[in-house]
């Protein structure tokens, strides 16, 4: 202190700023009490002799100090600098931050120091707070007691459309882009928090952002107090829950959808249940009132038929057992003994194909036999295999089948007799006729002219009648042999057969100047010889029944009828025609529309044609007008495998 004037000594010692004097070599000469307190040393002796430039920071700035005469900086206390003097600072000093001002004087160096540790702590705390607000994922704001904004973080200012959080200072919610109703609500919440001095948590609210979007926030507001615990404002922290709200909305929609679906399904189930009850009632009515016997049979574990589990009323009536009796019986109990093996065989088919159809004989309670056509279907019901059997009483049909079989046998016997008759006709009857005709002709040659004129005429009648009788017998024989002596069915070109027929009829065609044309004819499956006979008879008739003043014109054609799967042949002529009333009669055996003097023949030609066509499972008919020609049609089915043989 001796280097200071006495008038400055009091100032030196009482100055709150630490003051240290160093000589030109940098050695410590003096230090006031404030400096000793800052360094936390009891007396000057503890640090006297320390060198200014032992401090590495000051040493690094020496050139600048010498050049400018003054340097200022802030740094933490250099403990090593103190330790060199042999004094160690107290352990309670954890960290000191010193503000240095060093200047060059005439006698050396003047060092002024201030402990700014507290200021640095405040600065660090403020910086930490700013960093926290800057990185906080939510929204933070604070207001005074009048709901005037004092600050906010970046997230808040972005939503409010501000460039910097500092722009919020002094504004109210009415000056921000929120809706007026939103601003009113925010203010009411602020006042409630400050009035109650209690936090208001989880305020779910919307907020219109500067970009036009509406966000949802979960806001917590707490009151702010001064040192005297007076409310001076509020602090608000909000989290953006828009995505959560969207999820909630979707969940609500999904829940509503599910509820709607459940409601709809419930209605459907109620409706289905009602329909089920109605259907069950209808089923029961149909089940009990059906004309067929209907039963449900449960299969045993080995697959054999078990007991009846349901039977309808007609089953009881047909079999003569009560429903209670039948429910304690099995299919085997009502089956005729000779059918039991067939039942077992059908049971195996049922298990493999899930359905089977068979005929069986049931025995009634009084021993009567009932012929049954049975349809069985296998299905699962409540985890068990059940057979639905629909049985129809076919006893009447069986009786009719037996009668039909007897009739068939009778027809077969009649057919055999007819064939024997045809044989007799072709051999035994023709021989006497030949004898009568021969001897009559012999009498005519020997004695013609020796008797009177009547006798000669009578002999002519006998010869003519015998000849006609023989022709009729031959035609009848041909008619009977259409089915019994028919040829084998095969595929052939019907046009080729027609050409052969025309060759065989060439003489009669030429004699009558007949003009015959034909279209392309198909390949058919039939008896070739008989189809040739059909063509021959129809063409011969067309020539025979020509007009007297006009030569015959005949055309043969065919079409395929896909609908009926058949070929339809037509033979058209320009002859005398047929009146409609005779359309059916002309196909009957030995039926004639003209006298023998007008046209020769026995009247069997069209009958043979009809019988041949019917043998081929075809049809024959005529379209005609009197004196305006006729068209005869006949059909031959298109070949189907297994149909024509």
């Amino acid at each position: 202190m001796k280097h200071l004037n006495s008038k400055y000594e009091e100032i030196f010692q009482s100055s709150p700023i630490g003051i240290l004097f160093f000589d030109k070599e940098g050695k410590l000469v003096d230090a006031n009490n404030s400096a000793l307190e800052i360094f936390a040393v009891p007396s000057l002796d503890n640090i006297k002799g320390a060198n200014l430039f032992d401090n590495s920071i000051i040493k690094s700035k020496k050139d600048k100090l010498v050049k400018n005469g003054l340097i200022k900086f802030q740094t933490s206390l250099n403990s090593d600098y103190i330790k060199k003097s042999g004094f160690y600072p107290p352990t309670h000093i954890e960290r000191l931050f010193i503000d240095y001002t060093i200047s060059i004087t005439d006698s050396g160096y003047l060092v002024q120091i201030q402990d700014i540790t507290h200021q640095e702590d405040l600065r660090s705390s403020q910086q930490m707070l700013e960093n926290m607000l800057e990185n906080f994922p939510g929204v933070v704001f604070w207001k005074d007691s009048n709901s005037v904004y004092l600050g906010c973080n970046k997230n808040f200012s972005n939503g409010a459309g501000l460039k910097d959080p500092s722009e919020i200072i002094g504004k109210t919610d009415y000056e921000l882009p929120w809706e007026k109703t939103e601003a009113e609500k925010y203010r009411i919440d602020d006042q409630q928090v400050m009035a109650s001095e209690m936090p208001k948590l989880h305020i779910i609210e919307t907020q219109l952002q500067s970009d036009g979007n509406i966000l949802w926030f979960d806001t917590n507001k707490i009151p702010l107090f001064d040192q005297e615990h007076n409310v001076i404002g509020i602090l608000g922290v909000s989290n953006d829950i828009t995505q959560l709200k969207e999820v909630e909305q979707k969940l609500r929609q999904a829940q509503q959808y599910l509820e709607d679906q459940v409601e709809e399904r419930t209605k459907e189930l109620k409706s289905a249940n009602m329909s089920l009850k109605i259907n069950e009632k209808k089923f029961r009515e149909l089940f009990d009132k059906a004309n067929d016997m209907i039963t449900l049979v449960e299969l045993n574990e080995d697959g054999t038929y078990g007991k009846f589990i349901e039977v309808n009323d007609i089953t009881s009536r047909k079999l003569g057992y009560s429903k209670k009796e039948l429910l304690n019986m099995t299919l085997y109990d009502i089956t005729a003994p000779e059918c039991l093996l067939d039942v077992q065989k059908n049971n195996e088919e049922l298990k493999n194909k899930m359905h089977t159809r068979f005929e069986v004989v049931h025995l009634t309670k009084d021993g009567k036999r009932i012929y049954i056509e049975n349809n069985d279907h296998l299905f699962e019901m409540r985890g068990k295999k059940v057979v639905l059997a629909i049985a129809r009483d076919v006893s009447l049909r069986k009786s009719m089948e037996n009668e039909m079989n007897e009739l068939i046998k009778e027809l077969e016997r009649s057919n055999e007799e007819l064939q024997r008759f045809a044989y007799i006709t072709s051999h035994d009857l023709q021989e006497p006729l030949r004898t009568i005709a021969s001897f009559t002709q012999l009498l005519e040659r020997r004695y013609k002219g020796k008797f009177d004129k009547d006798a000669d005429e009578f002999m002519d009648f006998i010869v003519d009648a015998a000849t006609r009788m023989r022709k009729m017998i031959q035609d009848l024989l041909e008619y009977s042999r259409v089915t019994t002596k028919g040829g084998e069915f095969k595929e052939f070109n019907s046009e080729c057969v027609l050409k052969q027929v025309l060759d065989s009829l060439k003489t009669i065609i030429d004699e009558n100047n007949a003009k015959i044309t034909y279209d392309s004819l198909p390949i058919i499956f039939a008896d070739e010889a008989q189809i040739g006979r059909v063509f021959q008879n129809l063409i011969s008739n067309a020539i025979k029944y020509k007009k007297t003043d006009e030569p015959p014109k005949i055309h043969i054609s065919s079409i395929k009828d896909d609908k009926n799967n058949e070929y339809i042949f037509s033979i058209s002529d320009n002859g005398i025609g047929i009146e409609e009333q005779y359309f059916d009669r002309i196909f009957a055996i030995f039926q004639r529309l003209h006298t023998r003097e007008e046209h020769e023949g026995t009247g069997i030609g069209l009958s043979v044609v009809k019988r041949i066509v019917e043998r081929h499972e075809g049809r024959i008919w005529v379209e005609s007008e009197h004196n305006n020609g006729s068209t005869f049609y006949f059909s031959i089915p298109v070949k189907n495998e297994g149909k024509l043989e």
Side-chain angles (χ1 to χ4, degrees):
M1 296 296 296
K2 62 183 178 180
H3 298 286
L4 298 175
N5 296 326
S6 57
K7 63 179 179 180
Y8 295 113
E9 185 172 350
E10 184 177 352
I11 296 173
F12 175 74
Q13 290 296 342
S14 60
S15 174
I17 298 174
I19 302 173
L20 299 98
F21 288 104
F22 293 86
D23 61 17
K24 291 183 178 182
E25 284 74 25
K27 291 183 179 181
L28 180 61
V29 176
D30 202 353
N32 68 355
N33 292 330
S34 294
L36 296 176
E37 289 177 2
I38 290 171
F39 289 141
V41 295
S43 67
L44 180 62
D45 294 336
N46 294 105
I47 58 173
K48 195 171 183 179
N51 193 291
L52 176 63
F53 298 107
D54 287 341
N55 187 317
S56 59
I57 296 176
I58 297 174
K59 183 177 181 181
S60 66
K61 298 178 181 294
K62 184 176 181 181
D63 291 342
K64 184 177 180 180
L65 176 60
V66 172
K67 180 179 179 181
N68 297 326
L70 179 69
I71 59 173
K72 291 186 177 182
F73 63 91
Q74 296 174 348
T75 183
S76 58
L77 181 64
N78 191 335
S79 352
D80 292 338
Y81 170 70
I82 300 175
K83 290 176 182 178
K84 282 185 178 180
S85 64
F87 174 77
Y88 292 87
T91 56
H92 70 273
I93 300 178
E94 297 179 359
R95 184 176 66 85
L96 292 177
F97 205 81
I98 308 299
D99 180 81
Y100 283 89
T101 301
I102 304 175
S103 57
I104 298 176
T105 65
D106 293 338
S107 57
Y109 302 96
L110 174 64
V111 178
Q112 301 177 67
I113 62 174
Q114 293 187 70
D115 184 357
I116 59 170
T117 302
H118 179 64
Q119 296 179 14
E120 185 63 23
D121 288 342
L122 288 176
R123 189 182 299 111
S124 297
S125 298
Q126 183 176 358
Q127 185 176 3
M128 185 181 299
L129 178 61
E130 290 175 355
N131 288 336
M132 182 183 71
L133 292 175
E134 186 70 25
N135 296 295
F136 185 70
V139 170
V140 181
F141 58 89
W142 53 98
K143 305 177 184 178
D144 65 14
S145 57
N146 294 316
S147 293
V148 176
Y149 283 97
L150 299 176
C152 68
N153 68 345
K154 189 70 175 178
N155 289 340
F156 187 91
S157 63
N158 289 340
L162 304 176
K163 295 180 180 179
D164 189 85
S166 62
E167 295 181 16
I168 195 69
I169 299 173
K171 295 184 182 296
T172 66
D173 286 305
Y174 297 103
E175 301 173 72
L176 297 177
W178 336 135
E179 292 282 354
K180 184 178 179 180
T181 53
E182 292 176 335
E184 287 285 351
K185 186 177 182 307
Y186 300 158
R187 186 176 182 84
I188 292 172
D189 289 338
D190 295 344
Q191 296 303 316
Q192 288 178 351
V193 170
M194 289 186 285
S196 65
E197 298 186 0
M198 295 291 293
K200 190 171 184 179
L201 306 178
H202 300 298
I203 306 169
I204 308 301
E205 55 195 3
T206 59
Q207 190 173 90
L208 177 64
Q209 302 294 286
S210 60
D211 58 6
N213 291 324
I214 297 177
L215 302 182
W216 284 86
F217 286 97
D218 180 357
T219 302
N220 296 311
K221 291 183 177 180
I222 61 174
L224 295 176
F225 301 95
D226 60 12
Q227 293 181 351
E228 284 77 29
H229 201 72
N230 296 317
V231 176
I232 59 173
I234 61 102
L235 172 68
V237 179
S238 300
N239 290 314
D240 184 350
I241 59 170
T242 304
Q243 290 186 348
L244 180 61
K245 277 291 181 180
E246 291 175 352
V247 172
E248 287 180 355
Q249 179 66 19
K250 290 180 180 178
L251 287 174
R252 280 196 296 271
Q253 291 174 351
Q255 183 178 3
Q256 184 61 46
Y257 174 77
L258 289 174
E259 290 176 354
D260 292 343
Q261 290 295 306
V262 169
E263 184 178 357
E264 184 178 347
R265 293 296 179 269
T266 301
K267 290 180 180 178
E268 290 177 357
L269 287 173
K270 288 181 179 178
S271 177
N273 188 44
M274 181 63 69
S275 299
L276 185 62
K277 290 181 179 179
I278 294 173
N279 290 336
E280 185 179 356
K281 183 178 179 181
K282 291 180 179 178
F283 170 77
R284 176 54 62 182
E285 290 178 357
L286 291 173
F287 185 79
D288 288 333
K289 295 180 180 179
N291 293 324
D292 294 328
M293 294 184 286
I294 304 175
T295 59
L296 289 176
V297 179
E298 183 179 339
L299 289 188
N300 297 322
E301 292 184 0
D302 60 358
T304 58
Y305 292 105
K307 291 183 178 181
F308 293 107
I309 56 177
E310 187 62 83
V311 297
N312 65 348
D313 293 341
I314 197 169
T315 304
S316 296
R317 293 199 301 271
K318 285 278 186 181
L319 297 176
Y321 294 98
S322 68
K323 183 177 289 188
K324 184 177 180 181
E325 287 175 319
L326 285 170
L327 294 180
N328 287 309
M329 300 171 68
T330 69
L331 181 62
Y332 306 106
D333 297 326
I334 60 172
T335 301
E338 70 272 15
C339 297
L340 289 175
L341 290 178
D342 291 335
V343 169
Q344 189 60 35
K345 178 182 176 182
N346 292 319
N347 177 255
E348 294 298 324
E349 182 180 355
L350 176 65
K351 289 186 289 184
N352 293 330
K353 297 183 178 180
M354 304 300 288
H355 65 87
T356 184
R357 180 176 179 175
F358 59 94
E359 290 187 356
V360 68
V361 178
H362 282 172
L363 297 177
T364 65
K365 189 174 183 179
D366 57 6
K368 181 181 176 182
R369 296 169 65 86
I370 304 176
Y371 289 90
I372 297 295
E373 181 183 76
N374 212 52
N375 283 280
D376 287 359
H377 296 268
L378 181 62
F379 63 98
E380 284 197 5
M381 184 174 72
R382 299 172 185 170
K384 295 182 179 180
K385 290 185 177 180
V386 175
V387 178
L388 171 65
I390 302 175
R392 176 164 294 181
D393 184 350
V394 293
S395 299
L396 179 60
R397 190 191 75 188
K398 278 290 183 181
S399 176
M400 294 177 66
E401 286 178 357
N402 292 335
E403 291 179 6
M404 185 177 68
N405 290 332
E406 290 297 323
L407 287 173
I408 291 173
K409 291 178 181 178
E410 183 64 29
L411 286 173
E412 289 175 348
R413 288 193 296 271
S414 297
N415 189 45
E416 290 175 359
E417 291 176 359
L418 180 61
Q419 289 181 7
R420 285 195 297 271
F421 171 75
Y423 179 81
I424 292 171
T425 302
S426 63
H427 293 82
D428 299 344
L429 290 182
Q430 288 190 71
E431 184 60 30
L433 284 173
R434 280 195 298 269
T435 302
I436 293 171
S438 297
F439 279 95
T440 304
Q441 289 172 348
L442 180 61
L443 286 172
E444 185 180 22
R445 284 195 300 272
R446 286 186 179 184
Y447 300 104
K448 189 172 184 180
K450 295 181 179 182
F451 297 108
D452 59 18
K453 186 178 179 181
D454 290 339
D456 291 339
E457 187 177 349
F458 293 158
M459 285 188 290
D460 289 338
F461 286 155
I462 293 171
V463 171
D464 182 62
T467 302
R468 284 190 289 106
M469 184 65 180
R470 184 179 180 186
K471 178 65 172 128
M472 290 181 67
I473 291 172
Q474 289 174 342
D475 288 344
L476 182 61
L477 182 61
E478 179 187 2
Y479 181 81
S480 67
R481 285 179 172 177
V482 168
T483 56
T484 60
K485 299 295 183 179
E488 181 183 359
F489 281 40
K490 63 181 180 179
E491 283 189 337
F492 61 90
N493 192 326
S494 59
E495 187 174 331
C496 293
V497 172
L498 175 63
K499 290 178 180 178
Q500 294 171 5
V501 170
L502 294 178
D503 286 341
S504 67
L505 295 175
K506 187 175 187 306
T507 300
I508 187 175
I509 292 172
D510 292 341
E511 288 176 352
N512 290 276
N513 294 319
K515 183 179 180 181
I516 301 178
T517 58
Y518 54 87
D519 298 332
S520 177
L521 301 181
I523 294 174
I524 61 175
F525 184 74
D527 182 332
E528 185 174 355
Q530 288 188 342
I531 295 299
R533 187 60 186 270
V534 170
F535 282 139
Q536 179 177 313
N537 285 9
L538 292 176
I539 293 172
S540 297
N541 276 2
I543 295 174
K544 180 189 295 186
Y545 297 104
K546 67 177 182 174
K547 294 178 181 177
T548 57
D549 58 347
E550 186 177 348
K553 291 182 180 179
I554 304 168
H555 183 74
I556 301 98
S557 64
S558 71
I559 61 171
K560 184 179 181 182
D561 184 352
D562 291 323
K563 181 179 179 181
N564 295 312
N565 198 34
E566 62 186 4
Y567 293 107
I568 298 178
F569 292 83
S570 64
I571 293 89
S572 303
D573 63 57
N574 63 339
I576 61 177
I578 306 168
E579 295 181 21
E580 185 176 352
Q581 59 183 318
Y582 300 119
F583 283 179
D584 293 331
R585 180 180 171 185
I586 61 174
F587 294 108
I589 188 169
F590 297 134
Q591 292 295 314
R592 297 173 53 88
L593 302 183
H594 304 86
T595 64
R596 294 183 183 88
E597 288 74 17
E598 292 176 308
H599 297 285
E600 296 180 354
T602 60
I604 201 171
L606 289 179
S607 300
V608 171
V609 169
K610 182 173 184 291
R611 191 166 176 83
I612 291 173
V613 171
E614 288 177 345
R615 182 194 174 213
H616 287 76
E617 299 183 7
R619 301 171 292 128
I620 186 167
W621 68 98
V622 64
E623 293 178 359
S624 180
E625 292 181 9
H626 180 62
N627 205 36
N628 198 26
S630 303
T631 300
F632 282 84
Y633 297 93
F634 69 91
S635 65
I636 299 294
V638 175
K639 179 184 178 182
N640 289 326
E641 292 299 327
K643 182 177 180 182
L644 298 175
E645 296 179 355

